Amino acid sequence: MIRLVVFFTAPVRRVSSRLPRFEQLMRIRWTDAEFKGVIDACALAGHPLGFIYHWHIINAALIHGMRRMSREAIIKMALNHEKLSGWDVVANTAPNQGLVIATPHYGHFVLSIITLGQHLEGKRDLYVFYEDPLSHGSNSVFDQLHHVIFGENSSKKIVHNNRKGIVAAIKGLQAGGILLIMPDVYSSIVDTYAFPFFGRYRHAMLGTGTLAYRARASIVPMVSVPSATGLGFTTTFAQPIPTNVEPEPSRADLVVPFEATTRLFESYQAIMSAGSPVYWQYTPSHFASREEPTLPLDSVIGLLEMLPLDVRAIFGNTQVLDLDSEQSQRV
């Protein structure tokens, strides 16, 4: 059924004008700025607008179908449609070396997470890290999906982003486990740093780099790249990003995660450029943002290292300044 829906709706990919009725039916809610961002992203990839419309159809058909499929059928479907690229990066890692596999909300990321669990079966413990449903209610669906796919399998565990989960994640990595995390999402922008990404900046937290650094684990970028026609996808692994380094002068707890996250988004951009940025869940908001000049990484790290020397930081004489306030505009 899913294949039939994808096949018979393929002509939508050639649509070049906006379809308000279609967006209403598919519950697509773009602001004017986001719609312009979608157009910019499609132009960057050389696609008409219908390309992203068809991608929404594919996702809707997939979600609808998976809700009615058994665990075995879901796993079989995912494995049958997957190709692997760069799996040796994971397979050839020493068994006692923990890995943080960082994947964005891109392409068939749910299917790639499912197949990752199957590829690691009997080889490594897998820890899936995300926000606690107690604070983010919509994440309860991931708890349910994990239960359906992995059951009570002790080698595949959920660790939520709280004190207990962070401790479990670090211990698991130190024991040679694999931690799966999705670093392209955040709760509050005040907890983030900005990283160059597709000519703009992407706000992201340093949690991925921090967890890897504390456990002395490498970060492996993983991206689920869809095929050009629909349900097929390639789970792509990029070269590991080491975090067991000590910069001089040492501000390793900040500098190492920052540099690792910068390199992580560089890897994402390289892989997405070869596929298409429109497969990314956050394409509308990201491409709607303003293009900003960025400093070279060495300059950013230099500024971070200078912060403790600032007299205001030494004496605690700091304040938060709202740049949108009338007072700030007068200044």
Side-chain angles (χ1 to χ4, degrees):
M1 185 272 290
I2 300 173
R3 289 197 194 98
L4 289 175
V5 170
V6 171
F7 176 78
F8 284 110
T9 58
V12 173
R13 295 161 65 92
R14 296 193 291 269
V15 170
S16 58
S17 57
R18 192 169 189 178
L19 302 176
R21 179 58 178 163
F22 174 84
E23 292 177 23
Q24 183 180 6
L25 290 172
M26 298 298 293
R27 297 182 181 178
I28 299 172
R29 298 180 179 89
W30 292 322
T31 65
D32 290 342
E34 286 174 337
F35 177 69
K36 183 181 182 303
V38 168
I39 294 297
D40 291 345
C42 287
L44 179 66
H47 299 314
L49 177 62
F51 191 91
I52 198 168
Y53 282 158
H54 193 238
W55 176 240
H56 277 271
I57 292 173
I58 292 171
N59 279 302
L62 191 60
I63 293 170
H64 181 81
M66 287 177 65
R67 285 175 175 167
R68 290 157 176 76
M69 294 165 66
S70 66
R71 170 186 179 274
E72 293 74 16
I74 293 173
I75 293 174
K76 182 179 179 180
M77 178 189 69
L79 289 172
N80 285 346
H81 286 87
E82 182 194 45
K83 294 181 181 178
L84 279 173
S85 176
W87 174 247
D88 58 306
V89 168
V90 178
N92 295 338
T93 303
N96 62 342
Q97 174 62 53
L99 289 178
V100 175
I101 294 183
T103 188
H105 291 75
Y106 181 90
H108 292 305
F109 64 92
V110 173
L111 297 183
S112 284
I113 292 172
I114 291 171
T115 57
L116 177 65
Q118 300 306 304
H119 299 317
L120 294 174
E121 185 67 43
K123 302 181 180 71
R124 296 278 195 108
D125 286 349
L126 175 65
Y127 300 82
V128 184
F129 187 93
Y130 54 87
E131 290 292 336
D132 192 334
L134 291 177
S135 57
H136 291 75
S138 61
N139 279 1
S140 61
V141 68
F142 295 117
D143 281 3
Q144 297 166 11
L145 182 62
H146 185 280
H147 178 73
V148 170
I149 300 299
F150 300 128
E152 301 302 323
N153 189 333
S154 60
S155 69
K156 301 176 182 68
K157 308 174 179 67
I158 293 174
V159 283
H160 293 141
N161 186 13
N162 51 38
R163 184 183 296 274
K164 179 180 178 182
I166 290 171
V167 170
I170 293 174
K171 286 184 177 180
L173 286 169
Q174 291 173 335
I178 288 181
L179 179 72
L180 180 89
I181 192 168
M182 307 186 79
D184 60 338
V185 64
Y186 55 87
S187 300
S188 174
I189 197 169
V190 300
D191 298 324
T192 67
Y193 291 79
F195 300 92
F197 196 55
F198 280 106
R200 292 163 170 79
Y201 60 88
R202 175 64 187 173
H203 286 276
M205 299 175 69
L206 295 185
T208 301
T210 300
L211 286 171
Y213 173 67
R214 289 183 180 178
R216 293 301 190 266
S218 293
I219 301 173
V220 175
M222 181 185 92
V223 180
S224 181
V225 181
S227 68
T229 55
L231 294 178
F233 63 99
T234 301
T235 304
T236 305
F237 298 87
Q239 288 301 306
I241 302 167
T243 62
N244 57 340
V245 294
E246 295 290 344
E248 292 294 340
S250 181
R251 283 297 312 284
D253 58 332
L254 181 60
V255 174
V256 173
F258 182 89
E259 183 173 3
T261 307
T262 301
R263 293 179 177 176
L264 177 62
F265 276 87
E266 288 174 351
S267 293
Y268 286 162
Q269 180 170 328
I271 298 171
M272 291 182 187
S273 294
S276 173
V278 301
Y279 291 129
W280 188 35
Q281 182 171 311
Y282 300 107
T283 288
S285 59
H286 179 74
F287 281 86
S289 66
R290 293 175 295 131
E291 296 186 20
E292 294 286 344
T294 57
L295 290 172
L297 179 60
D298 291 343
S299 299
V300 174
I301 291 176
L303 290 171
L304 291 172
E305 291 173 344
M306 289 172 60
L307 282 175
L309 304 178
D310 191 308
V311 66
R312 292 166 295 183
I314 293 173
F315 292 102
N317 184 21
T318 60
Q319 66 182 33
V320 176
L321 185 64
D322 182 0
L323 295 179
D324 290 328
S325 70
E326 183 179 350
Q327 179 184 1
S328 299
Q329 290 171 1
R330 287 202 303 270
V331 171

